[in-house]
Every structure is written in structure tokens, then in C-alpha cells.
């Protein structure tokens, strides 16, 4: 949000107008892609295109088999049921989750539904682009990342047709 002090666009100070691809809520951290191409934004974010976003999450309670099963099967939030997703335990209190949709505060709401509280949430991958920068820093795509991204997006829809 440009009106929020310390927003990512102002922090980067890029010479041309750029847009974030997706959002992270304030208590979260991790990978955000920035582009000047609005079509790419829509192609990546449309749930129908099923592009993966990978997160590492730490919660306040032990991650049980039941939690893993319920989270991966779909949780009722925001007047819908989340799409099935991939979940893997990552330590006693952590898990990795791969989503193909991006509902508002989706992971936090899913956890809350099961009486878990998110302690930390970090996006580590969007499609083929992996987080490789330190907190607060940025980098350009590698040639291979950009080529792979463009090939993957070639048949993705950018709007409702």
C-alpha cells in the first residue's frame, strides 16, 4: 500500500513503476515478486492457474497428524472451503505449506480454525522463484528464473474469460 509508511515500493526506489505480485501481511516475511508487467501479476495470482506459493510456518502448539490431515484437506474460511494443499511437518511446531490460492490471511485463518496460532510465517517460494535474499534486501531474477517463469506463464490466463 503506497499510503503506508515504509511500504515495499518506496523502500526499493525503483526507477519505473512496479507492482508487487501478491501481498504479505505485516507480521509475515519472505519473498515478494515485483514487476512492471500487470499481465504477469494477474497470471500468477489467479487461483485457476494453480501456481504454487510455498511457506514455512511456526505455530504455538505441536503440529499433529490430525492438524496436517485437516489443513491439507481444506478448511472453511471466508465463506468458502480452501483448496486442498500440500503440507509437510517441519519440526515439532512447524510445517511447510504449498498453496495454489491466495485468500486474505489464508494460512493464519486456517490455523485459527483449528485452534492454532501462527507465531511466524515466511514465504520461501513463488512458482520457480526461491527466496535467496536477506531480510530487507532485493535482487533481480536470474536469466534462468525469468526464462522458466515466462515459459510456465505462457498458457496461464490473465483474466476471467
Amino acid at each position: 500500500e503506497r499510503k503506508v509508511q515504509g511500504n515495499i515500493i518506496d523502500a526499493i526506489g525503483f526507477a519505473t513503476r512496479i507492482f508487487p505480485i501478491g501481498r504479505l501481511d505485516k507480521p509475515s516475511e519472505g519473498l515478494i515478486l515485483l514487476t512492471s508487467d500487470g499481465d504477469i501479476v494477474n497470471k500468477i495470482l489467479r487461483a485457476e492457474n494453480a501456481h504454487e506459493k510455498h511457506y514455512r510456518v511456526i505455530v504455538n502448539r505441536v503440529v499433529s497428524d490430525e492438524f496436517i490431515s485437516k489443513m491439507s484437506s481444506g478448511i472453511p474460511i471466508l465463506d468458502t472451503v480452501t483448496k486442498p494443499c500440500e503440507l509437510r511437518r517441519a519440526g515439532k511446531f512447524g510445517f511447510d505449506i504449498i498453496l495454489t490460492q491466495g485468500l486474505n490471511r489464508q494460512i493464519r485463518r486456517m490455523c485459527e480454525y483449528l485452534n492454532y496460532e501462527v507465531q511466524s510465517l515466511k514465504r520461501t517460494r513463488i512458482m520457480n522463484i526461491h527466496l535467496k535474499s536477506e531480510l530487507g534486501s532485493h535482487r533481480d531474477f536470474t536469466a534462468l528464473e525469468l526464462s522458466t517463469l515466462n515459459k510456465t506463464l505462457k498458457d496461464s490466463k490473465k483474466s476471467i474469460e
Side-chain angles (χ1 to χ4, degrees), residues 79-140:
D79 299 322
T80 189
V81 176
T82 60
K83 289 183 173 186
C85 58
E86 188 177 330
L87 233 83
R88 282 180 295 232
R89 187 175 282 108
K92 190 174 181 179
F93 296 95
F95 63 93
D96 289 327
I97 184 169
I98 299 173
L99 301 177
T100 57
Q101 71 184 135
L103 300 174
N104 180 267
R105 298 175 55 89
Q106 180 173 345
I107 296 169
R108 291 180 190 280
R109 291 177 195 269
M110 292 170 72
C111 288
E112 286 170 10
Y113 181 83
L114 297 173
N115 297 312
Y116 281 73
E117 182 182 320
V118 172
Q119 303 294 305
S120 80
L121 189 152
K122 182 175 187 174
R123 184 164 47 211
T124 60
R125 179 175 63 85
I126 298 174
M127 299 174 61
N128 65 299
I129 311 297
H130 293 263
L131 181 64
K132 294 180 183 173
S133 300
E134 295 300 316
L135 184 64
S137 65
H138 65 280
R139 67 174 180 86
D140 292 335

Side-chain angles (χ1 to χ4, degrees), residues 36-51:
S36 58
D37 184 342
D39 287 345
I40 287 178
V41 174
N42 295 328
K43 287 180 177 183
I44 291 176
L45 294 181
R46 280 182 52 95
E48 294 83 3
N49 291 327
H51 296 306

